[in-house]
Amino acid sequence: MSPCEKKTHIFLFLFLPLVVLCLPGCGNSLSAVPFSGIDGQILSLKTLSSEAEKGILTGAFSSAWFLFNETDAPFMGTGVSDRPQALEVSVRISSGGPVTVTLAFVTADDISGNGKLSADPAPRDLSAVQNAEGTVSLRMNIPGLEHTGAEICGFAVQLSGGANSRLEILSAGFRRDETGWKSENGTAWFGFGTEGGMADFAALPGMGSLNPPSVILAEDSLLHLSFSPAEETLGSRLDQGRIVFTDGERIFGFRKSPAAYTTTVPASVLGNGPAVISALSGYENLAGMYVSRKKLPASLPDDPLSPVSADPHMIVEWPGHLWRRSDREVFSWDRFPSVLIVDTDTYATQSRYFKRLAFFIEKKVTGAGCLPITS
């Protein structure tokens, strides 16, 4: 199931009576878990459970509940444009894996009058990763008041595993809005929307899965595709070494490379969404598929004289109505920006641009040359 797929969970956490009974005596002390703002500011968290003090969860079932520190309010954003877009938590499963790790938000309705956690928190949307091992990060977009019905004032992390399972919360912080997944250097990252969802760690490439997780490409967003180095890249004339994707209506792909790289595809090139992007073949070298939202996509520059950065395979798919000039568009290869690719509407346009230049390249001329610009 896609980490971006909407999935509402009816029940949140199953509370152990011992944990609930001890909460009133725990107090809202500061947690030792590192917490940062969206621009890297060092912030702090308060505890709503004893597990939140050090951020260590053990056993078959355990949860840590955190409260944002009200003294950090200036760094949390006050308007729609500057408010944090998502919350990210990084954890390490040191024993007893694989486990399920769950992230959810805490609202004002979960806090009792004395500042403690309510004995009966309401159901909410969850973001969960099952079969998790090693180091895993979960990011969940922060929903608005119209979605939660109450102000978000913290978050909770849950461990579901075996009797000897152990999880350490390495860090947490506010982050940008990104959904999807990445896998590199032995770590995994999963991004979820405001309504959460379920992702499977075992579905990542290299884990023996038949198909990696799909992602939902929203309107006016950017699709980021990361590739790991491939040992064999050329393939044959009939069977090229390619990683092939589909959005349900078209098929597109990229040649494998001996070096790792990431390319970006604007949603407008693929019909502007929403669409489900899935990998069809060659995905053993796929290291990530994630979606971000930006006012100005990096591949569509403000300056009309600057080339559009794109992978050559996507230039073939680039719709003509997105050109900044009706007769031609100038691209630069995203991996080698000094390489320019010019696409023209007709051969006549191509001729007007390049015939004179081609003459001096194709013909051996000794008595002629191009006039300087001043002439």
Side-chain angles (χ1 to χ4, degrees), residues 266-333:
S268 54
V269 175
L270 300 175
N272 206 29
V276 177
I277 308 298
S278 304
L280 294 179
S281 62
Y283 40 73
E284 60 273 8
N285 297 109
L286 183 60
M289 298 172 61
Y290 59 102
V291 177
S292 66
R293 290 180 177 271
K294 296 181 180 179
K295 291 183 178 180
L296 179 65
S299 54
L300 298 176
D302 236 353
D303 183 2
L305 298 180
S306 297
V308 175
S309 176
D311 185 278
H313 293 91
M314 291 313 302
I315 295 175
V316 178
E317 304 286 341
W318 209 276
H321 70 269
L322 294 180
W323 290 1
R324 293 167 297 174
R325 283 185 48 147
S326 60
D327 60 339
R328 57 92 177 142
E329 183 59 275
V330 180
F331 299 89
S332 65
W333 192 346

Side-chain angles (χ1 to χ4, degrees), residues 60-317:
F61 176 88
S62 184
S63 56
W65 295 72
F66 299 88
L67 192 65
F68 298 141
N69 195 339
E70 61 273 12
T71 60
D72 294 330
F75 299 100
M76 295 173 61
T78 56
V80 175
S81 61
D82 64 348
R83 60 171 293 207
Q85 300 167 331
L87 178 86
E88 182 171 301
V89 175
S90 296
V91 305
R92 179 171 56 225
I93 298 97
S94 54
S95 64
V99 303
T100 296
V101 184
T102 306
L103 172 65
F105 289 109
V106 175
T107 70
D109 290 341
D110 299 317
I111 311 301
S112 63
N114 61 357
K116 308 301 181 183
L117 182 65
S118 169
D120 187 24
R124 70 206 63 210
D125 295 324
L126 309 177
S127 296
V129 176
Q130 62 184 3
N131 297 314
E133 296 185 274
T135 302
V136 182
S137 296
L138 292 80
R139 183 180 300 189
M140 186 173 182
N141 291 347
I142 300 175
L145 189 62
E146 69 282 355
H147 181 81
T148 60
E151 179 185 0
I152 291 177
C153 55
F155 64 94
V157 178
Q158 175 184 284
L159 164 69
S160 299
N164 64 335
S165 296
R166 187 178 189 274
L167 178 150
E168 178 185 357
I169 302 176
L170 303 176
S171 63
F174 295 122
R175 299 293 184 264
R176 305 293 179 188
D177 175 359
E178 290 183 347
T179 57
W181 62 271
K182 309 174 194 175
S183 177
E184 58 182 351
N185 300 325
T187 65
W189 174 92
F190 297 90
F192 301 86
T194 56
E195 296 186 3
M198 176 73 75
D200 191 348
F201 183 90
L204 296 178
M207 300 296 177
S209 170
L210 294 178
N211 294 99
S214 302
V215 298
I216 296 178
L217 182 62
E219 183 180 358
D220 296 328
S221 61
L222 289 174
L223 172 65
H224 304 264
L225 300 172
S226 297
F227 306 103
S228 59
E231 294 182 2
E232 298 182 4
T233 60
L234 294 180
S236 64
R237 183 174 61 86
L238 297 178
D239 184 19
Q240 298 180 357
R242 288 165 55 87
I243 303 176
V244 181
F245 302 87
T246 181
D247 64 354
E249 295 184 0
R250 59 182 63 80
I251 294 176
F252 58 98
F254 304 86
R255 291 293 296 269
K256 294 183 179 182
S257 169
Y261 75 100
T262 297
T263 190
T264 302
V265 183
S268 54
V269 175
L270 300 175
N272 206 29
V276 177
I277 308 298
S278 304
L280 294 179
S281 62
Y283 40 73
E284 60 273 8
N285 297 109
L286 183 60
M289 298 172 61
Y290 59 102
V291 177
S292 66
R293 290 180 177 271
K294 296 181 180 179
K295 291 183 178 180
L296 179 65
S299 54
L300 298 176
D302 236 353
D303 183 2
L305 298 180
S306 297
V308 175
S309 176
D311 185 278
H313 293 91
M314 291 313 302
I315 295 175
V316 178
E317 304 286 341

Side-chain angles (χ1 to χ4, degrees), residues 26 29-34 45-58 62-66 89-92 155 157 166-172:
C26 292
S29 59
L30 291 179
S31 171
V33 174
L45 292 168
K46 290 187 175 182
T47 64
L48 284 171
S49 69
S50 58
E51 292 84 354
E53 293 180 3
K54 294 184 178 180
I56 296 178
L57 308 180
T58 59
S62 184
S63 56
W65 295 72
F66 299 88
V89 175
S90 296
V91 305
R92 179 171 56 225
F155 64 94
V157 178
R166 187 178 189 274
L167 178 150
E168 178 185 357
I169 302 176
L170 303 176
S171 63

